[in-house]
Amino acid sequence: MNENVSDFSKFEARVHYLVAFIGGFLGLFPIVNVAKVLGSAQTTNLIDIVLSALVGDGRLFVFHAVGALLFCFSVFLATVLPKHSKIDIRLLAMLFNSACAIVMWLFPMDLPAVLYLYPTFFALSFQWCAFKGAYGFTCSTIFSTNNLRMCISAFTEVFFNGDRSFLLKAVFFGATLLSFHSGIALSWLCYHFLGNSGFLFALVPCAACFIAVLLGKRRS
């Protein structure tokens, strides 16, 4: 791996892995209840907007449209706040994630399925904008598909094309995948044994990330 990587870059990467863990942990919530959809899967929600319009289900159309608006509003906030305020959106993202966990704890289990996506649509899209990657690589903390593609292509470059300059990239995306799916696994265990209250465990890594960001600001 690249020996010229600074200690601060390594620190940023560790924070990124922690955030990916949180993304997996919170993203599982709608899957294990009636929604059966990953909490960050806005693509599915947009498809459902079209389908509900085609079948003439106005109520469902509104529910999914509101979900899309929550996602868009969150991205808007994460984009405008750094330019018009001194707020560190990384810290704000952890506050939103913590609120998301509390809302999921309090959610009744007899609501229309799409409503269970609302907390994660807002919180995880904000997180996605606040934490964009490390080591100069753009890398999502709330999805796996592109990260898997990048990981496999980088490892292919290293082991089949003989280009070891891709090793850092391969390890970084691989570690992000491992962190994300570790979050999913622990989230399922918490939900399995504790029900909705198990999602309150997300407060622990959110607090750890909040502190890590503050420490990183002092080191930078």
Side-chain angles (χ1 to χ4, degrees), residues 138-168:
T138 299
C139 179
S140 172
T141 59
I142 66 172
F143 294 113
S144 289
T145 305
N146 189 61
N147 292 345
L148 180 61
R149 179 182 70 87
M150 299 298 283
C151 178
I152 297 302
S153 65
F155 272 117
T156 300
E157 291 285 357
V158 173
F159 293 108
F160 290 88
N161 295 342
D163 190 345
R164 291 187 60 82
S165 67
F166 283 87
L167 184 58
L168 177 62

Side-chain angles (χ1 to χ4, degrees), residues 73-155:
F73 180 62
S74 180
V75 174
F76 165 79
L77 281 181
T79 305
V80 75
L81 286 177
K83 300 291 180 64
H84 298 278
S85 74
K86 296 181 179 181
I87 296 174
D88 188 326
I89 62 171
R90 297 172 300 170
L91 299 176
L92 191 56
M94 291 304 107
L95 294 178
F96 285 153
N97 282 345
S98 298
C100 176
I102 294 171
V103 169
M104 292 191 301
W105 167 46
L106 297 174
F107 245 136
M109 299 303 291
D110 56 353
L111 299 175
V114 65
L115 299 186
Y116 295 92
L117 295 163
Y118 284 6
T120 47
F121 275 173
F122 182 85
L124 292 183
S125 58
F126 196 93
Q127 173 182 301
W128 192 13
C129 295
F131 295 89
K132 295 183 172 67
Y135 295 135
F137 303 125
T138 299
C139 179
S140 172
T141 59
I142 66 172
F143 294 113
S144 289
T145 305
N146 189 61
N147 292 345
L148 180 61
R149 179 182 70 87
M150 299 298 283
C151 178
I152 297 302
S153 65
F155 272 117

Side-chain angles (χ1 to χ4, degrees), residues 21 25 101 186-187 190 194 196-206:
F21 176 90
F25 190 96
L186 183 58
S187 183
C190 288
L194 301 173
N196 278 13
S197 60
F199 290 103
L200 290 176
F201 180 83
L203 298 177
V204 176
C206 285

